[in-house]
Amino acid sequence: MDSPQEQRGGVRRWLDDRIGLAEIETLVRKKEVPVHRHTLWYYFGGMTLFLFLVQVGTGILLLLYYRPSAEEAYESVRFLMAEVEFGWLVRSIHSWAANVMILTLFVHLFSVLLLKAYRPPREITWVSGVVLLALVLGFGFTGYLLPWNELAYFGTKVGSEIMGAIPLAGTFLRRLLRGGDEVTGATLTRFYGIHVAILPALTTLLLSLHLFLVQRHGMSVPPSVERRGGGTRTMPFVPNFLLRDLVGWLSVLAILAALAAYLPAELGQKADPFAPAPAGIKPEWYFMFMFQTLKYLPGTILGIEGEILGVVGFGVGGLLLLLIPFLDRRTARGEPSALFTGIGLLLLLYMLVLTYLGYTVSSTQ
Ligand code: HEM
């Protein structure tokens, strides 16, 4: 009889012949992560990935009980929270992890922006990242409606109303999203399909491309570090960097568990389309800076409706964000680019200040 070592060798050879285990091993062993004073920021992409996986896992569990219709959605979530063992925990983790994931995603975005990781040859990594951002925000927007409670209903009504301000296609897009002129059970069914099928499929596709490119190009060394002659020191990805990643993931899991236990997701009242909108309807925090900007815009600017200009402005802003690697020619040539560092910092400041104002100024109005 073969010894355990010989048996393991046999399994290894069997797998190697079929899936090229040796090549995968060489690839993993070769992967290195640069070590310098900004290495900390490399952890946020992986953290976002981990949180995405938490969302997939908890989302699948929620699907076991959730029912996507205006008649049953609210009741199915109430049943899950009150009757199903640990149902409250799964739903609360799904809700908290969504928020934390968007936070780590923004940290990831701003760190790669300010460290100029988008410069050649990583333009497509950046572009796939911006599309992922849009998809993740789409998850947030569509998921918010699914419990079919009062806040979700009116939040979606306001959010989809804003979409109607897009010139030319606005009315069509709003109808397409709502499944009619109003937010109804048809909207809920559409949002459900988008949330559990369309967005997961697109995200998986884009994420595979993103991670393939990260693997293909390796981690970039920020130009500021390169110019000082740093960034040549590295650490092996397996096990050194991966174990550090794991410490971060376990910590964030502990934070999620604590948040879910002490501040479980709320449900509130069931949506009633005929009831008046409750006072102080607010979007989720990650949409707040846009919502607040629209509030500050005057009714008309140069004869054009303020809201239309605002929505067009966000569209143009999103497009410019997508094109940054192609616009920042100085960084592409390896020269310092204070302009784009300034734009990045201003954007961050703008988002922070408007979000802050959204929670302070408007709540007293
Ligand atoms: C679901 C969302 C996302 C996930 C799961 C994700 C995941 C990752 C991971 C694991 C890495 C390697 C480690 C790291 O640099 O942190 C990475 C790198 C990168 N990501 Fe993302 N990412 C996402 C969204 C974004 C967004 C929104 C952007 C920017 C618009 C972006 C741009 C980049 C770039 C340029 C790199 C290369 C960094 C370098 O080589 O230094 N990603 N991403």
Side-chain angles (χ1 to χ4, degrees), residues 36 46 50 98 119 131-132 151 166 188 193 197-198 279 281 302 304 346:
H36 48 75
F50 170 68
R119 69 191 198 285
V131 180
L132 278 169
L151 276 184
I166 299 172
L188 179 65
I198 299 177
I281 282 286
L302 302 171
I304 304 172
L346 265 181

Side-chain angles (χ1 to χ4, degrees), residues 27-251:
L27 213 72
V28 168
R29 230 180 266 138
K30 249 184 31 202
K31 193 171 166 64
E32 298 269 337
V33 178
V35 178
H36 48 75
R37 62 197 182 103
H38 297 301
T39 296
L40 173 76
W41 303 109
Y42 293 146
Y43 292 100
F44 284 89
M47 183 79 88
T48 311
L49 179 63
F50 170 68
L51 288 163
F52 178 67
L53 296 178
V54 170
Q55 288 308 83
V56 174
T58 49
I60 290 173
L61 289 177
L62 290 175
L63 277 184
L64 300 179
Y65 287 93
Y66 181 74
R67 294 171 184 225
S69 76
E71 292 73 38
E72 289 185 299
Y74 179 85
E75 285 74 9
S76 69
V77 177
R78 199 173 53 189
F79 179 77
L80 179 94
M81 293 295 281
E83 305 289 337
V84 179
E85 288 225 51
F86 296 111
W88 64 272
L89 183 63
V90 173
R91 173 165 177 248
S92 301
I93 289 195
H94 194 75
S95 154
W96 275 112
N99 284 288
V100 180
M101 175 180 169
I102 293 176
L103 188 69
T104 59
L105 180 54
F106 275 126
V107 175
H108 178 53
L109 183 151
F110 277 103
S111 62
V112 292
L113 175 62
L114 294 171
L115 295 174
K116 323 268 189 210
Y118 53 77
R119 69 191 198 285
R122 294 182 179 76
E123 297 96 323
I124 303 178
T125 319
W126 170 270
V127 169
S128 63
V130 176
V131 180
L132 278 169
L133 172 72
L135 294 174
V136 169
L137 293 179
F139 267 114
F141 187 63
T142 50
Y144 191 57
L145 181 67
L146 299 186
W148 199 246
N149 55 17
E150 204 181 27
L151 276 184
Y153 178 84
F154 286 102
T156 303
K157 211 170 147 87
V158 175
S160 50
E161 197 60 55
I162 292 171
M163 184 167 272
I166 299 172
L168 305 175
T171 313
F172 169 74
L173 287 178
R174 188 181 53 201
R175 268 183 69 83
L176 182 72
L177 198 69
R178 286 182 171 178
D181 288 322
E182 293 297 326
V183 175
T184 60
T187 321
L188 179 65
T189 315
R190 276 185 193 203
F191 274 35
Y192 173 74
I194 298 172
H195 193 80
V196 309
I198 299 177
L199 290 175
L202 292 177
T203 307
T204 306
L205 215 74
L206 262 293
L207 202 52
S208 309
L209 173 66
H210 197 69
L211 298 179
F212 166 74
L213 291 173
V214 168
Q215 172 56 33
R216 171 120 178 68
H217 298 301
M219 302 306 301
S220 71
V221 176
S224 60
V225 174
E226 253 174 14
R227 276 194 288 274
R228 287 198 199 101
T232 45
R233 221 155 52 85
T234 60
M235 73 163 98
F237 180 75
V238 179
N240 304 42
F241 193 79
L242 189 62
L243 285 175
R244 287 168 171 78
D245 257 339
L246 280 176
V247 171
W249 300 356
L250 277 179
S251 310

